Structures are given as C-alpha cells and as structure tokens.
Amino acid sequence: MSVRVHGLVHDSAHLAIDSAFSEIAQVHALMSFHEETSDVSRLNREAHIRPVAVDRRTYEVLRHARQVSALCDGAFDVTVAADLVASGILPAPRGVAVPEISAMWRDIELLEECRVKFRRPLWIDLGGIAKGYAVDRAMEIIAAFSPSQACVNAGGDLRVLGQASEKVRLAAPDVDNSVVPLIELSNGSLASSCGRATGNRGSAKTPGVHIDTRCGRTISVRQFVSVAAPRCIDADALTKVVMTRGACSLPALTAFNAQAVVHDIRYGWRELGGHA
C-alpha cells in the first residue's frame, strides 16, 4: 500500500498520509476474514443465530455488495467464502457453523442501526471489495486536506485525485507485453484482477483466486481484467463481474459509469463499456 500527495506543506502532507493509513488499518481490522475479532468473523460465527451490530463502514460495504449482486444476478457474491475455503484459498474458520450449500447474497439481511442477520449459516469474505473501499476511504480523508494531486495505490486497486493524469500500464501475466494498453487516470479509480493460478507444489498449480459463485468453480486462469470507475469499491467488484460474465456485464458497468479492459487467449485485448 502506498500513498502520495502533492501541493501540501510538509506537516499537512504527513498528517494526511498518516490519517489515510490509519483509516486503512481500521478497515482491515473490521473486514478481515482472518482476524477473529473482525466484524466479518463475528458475522460468520453469530449472524445466522441473532442480529449482529457492526461498524457503519462494514454495513456500508455489505449494502454496496448487495447492490452489485442484484445488478449482476449474483455473479458477484460475498458469500463465496465457503467455495474459497473448499478450494484451499482461504483457511477454514474455527468454531463456525458449516454454511448451507444453497446460501447466497439474498440471505444477508441489513437491518436498522447497522445490524446484520443471516437467514441461514453462511460465510462471507469481503476481500477485494473491502480493499477498494479502504482505498476510497483513504482518498476521502486525503481530499479533506485539499492537495493538488494525490494517489492511493493498494496493488491492484488504485485511486487518483487531481486533474493531472496518472499513466498505468496494464501488464497481464503470461502475455506478450511488448504492446499493452496504457490507461490515463485522473479523478478516478482502477482495479485489476486475473484468474491466473498462483504458486505451485510439484507440478500441480494451486487454483485461481476467483470463484464463479453461481457454480463454485474457479474462473479461467487465462483472463485479465481492469475496470476504471469513479470509485474503487465499484471498480474492484466489477472486475469479478466482468471475469464471470464477459460482455453480459455491460449493464453493471453502465450502472456504475465504468469501463473494462480485458485480455484473454481467444480475443486478446478488448474494451467493454463506456467511458469511466
């Protein structure tokens, strides 16, 4: 994670950066799948039994996740955690009821006063969408200091503030990168994902890191997606939608004023959607 600001005096610049990192740390503590005290872990343990009060930021991310899921018919679904555990991508949480196979995003109830209830046992993982949200929150805090330019880069999730454009080179794994798209980003966000298998044990590669929640299978290891959108939380979530639905993701891209750049073996580089 890196934060860069321009146009502020020394003390203000350091205060803006420190404040941004503090917010990022808080979002991580709230939404980590691995931390037993996080809102996510408490929900996975208790929300199928009783309503659980969560931080307003966790509630906001869950509300946004439901909105994306509704727009893409469940191609994006934060209840994917059970599939991620089954694939060995996430560790199984301890002392938690086994999720029902049919559980899905519609089983997450958002109640008044930032309370959340699950209609049946399920596991959520906010993962990437929480990282995008953390980038947005960091930039909101930085913007209050009125810098001339700023950039928050979370490695795959990026947001830029200011009229000067940041040039981002899209280098997909296992692709001839002699000619690649160059994105010029100003006052906007960019998120990238790929289904490439990571690591290896002997000759067998581990599964890709993204799951098609509608069937529980890992997404093609040959696909790379970048999405530009005004907010990073939208850009990050939409990368998974585009990886799963391809051209059928256009309505969701349009709804969030987003544009995708995609690479796969069959079509090479191509664009989807309008201008972000």
Side-chain angles (χ1 to χ4, degrees), residues 149-252:
Q149 190 81 12
C151 178
V152 179
N153 188 343
D157 284 8
L158 173 77
R159 183 161 176 175
V160 173
L161 172 71
Q163 295 304 314
S165 62
E166 302 271 346
K167 292 181 172 62
V168 184
R169 183 174 179 266
L170 302 183
D174 300 327
V175 174
D176 178 6
N177 288 314
S178 58
V179 179
V180 298
L182 185 68
I183 304 295
E184 293 196 8
L185 189 68
S186 61
N187 281 318
S189 300
L190 184 73
S192 300
S193 293
C194 92
R196 180 185 181 185
T198 56
N200 62 73
R201 183 169 297 174
S203 60
K205 287 187 175 182
T206 59
V209 296
H210 301 298
I211 301 284
D212 184 340
T213 53
R214 297 169 300 174
C215 62
R217 292 195 298 267
T218 55
I219 297 171
S220 167
V221 299
R222 297 287 186 176
Q223 191 173 181
F224 174 89
V225 174
S226 284
V227 174
R231 296 194 303 170
C232 205
I233 189 174
D234 301 327
D236 189 286
L238 289 170
T239 61
K240 285 71 174 178
V241 178
V242 173
M243 291 183 80
T244 304
R245 305 200 70 190
C248 294
S249 62
L250 284 172

Side-chain angles (χ1 to χ4, degrees), residues 61-220:
V61 171
L62 286 170
R63 182 174 57 196
H64 189 75
R66 279 185 57 92
Q67 181 185 6
V68 177
S69 297
L71 281 169
C72 66
D73 194 27
F76 174 85
D77 189 341
V78 297
T79 66
V80 70
D83 291 324
L84 294 172
V85 170
S87 297
I89 298 168
L90 287 177
R94 295 182 299 177
V96 179
V98 176
E100 293 189 12
I101 295 176
S102 59
M104 61 183 299
W105 64 273
R106 294 183 188 276
D107 294 312
I108 302 174
E109 297 184 67
L110 301 181
L111 310 175
E112 295 180 350
E113 298 178 345
C114 293
R115 294 177 302 136
V116 181
K117 178 75 168 63
F118 296 165
R119 295 190 179 117
R120 63 187 78 188
L122 58 85
W123 297 344
I124 62 170
D125 172 43
L126 300 183
I129 193 173
K131 184 167 74 169
Y133 178 76
V135 170
D136 288 333
R137 287 291 302 144
M139 189 59 84
E140 288 171 15
I141 288 171
I142 291 169
F145 289 83
S146 300
S148 59
Q149 190 81 12
C151 178
V152 179
N153 188 343
D157 284 8
L158 173 77
R159 183 161 176 175
V160 173
L161 172 71
Q163 295 304 314
S165 62
E166 302 271 346
K167 292 181 172 62
V168 184
R169 183 174 179 266
L170 302 183
D174 300 327
V175 174
D176 178 6
N177 288 314
S178 58
V179 179
V180 298
L182 185 68
I183 304 295
E184 293 196 8
L185 189 68
S186 61
N187 281 318
S189 300
L190 184 73
S192 300
S193 293
C194 92
R196 180 185 181 185
T198 56
N200 62 73
R201 183 169 297 174
S203 60
K205 287 187 175 182
T206 59
V209 296
H210 301 298
I211 301 284
D212 184 340
T213 53
R214 297 169 300 174
C215 62
R217 292 195 298 267
T218 55
I219 297 171
S220 167

Side-chain angles (χ1 to χ4, degrees), residues 23 39 54-61 114 133 137:
E23 182 67 14
D39 281 351
V54 299
D55 188 273
R56 63 168 183 79
R57 290 165 289 191
T58 306
Y59 192 88
E60 184 177 348
V61 171
C114 293
Y133 178 76
R137 287 291 302 144

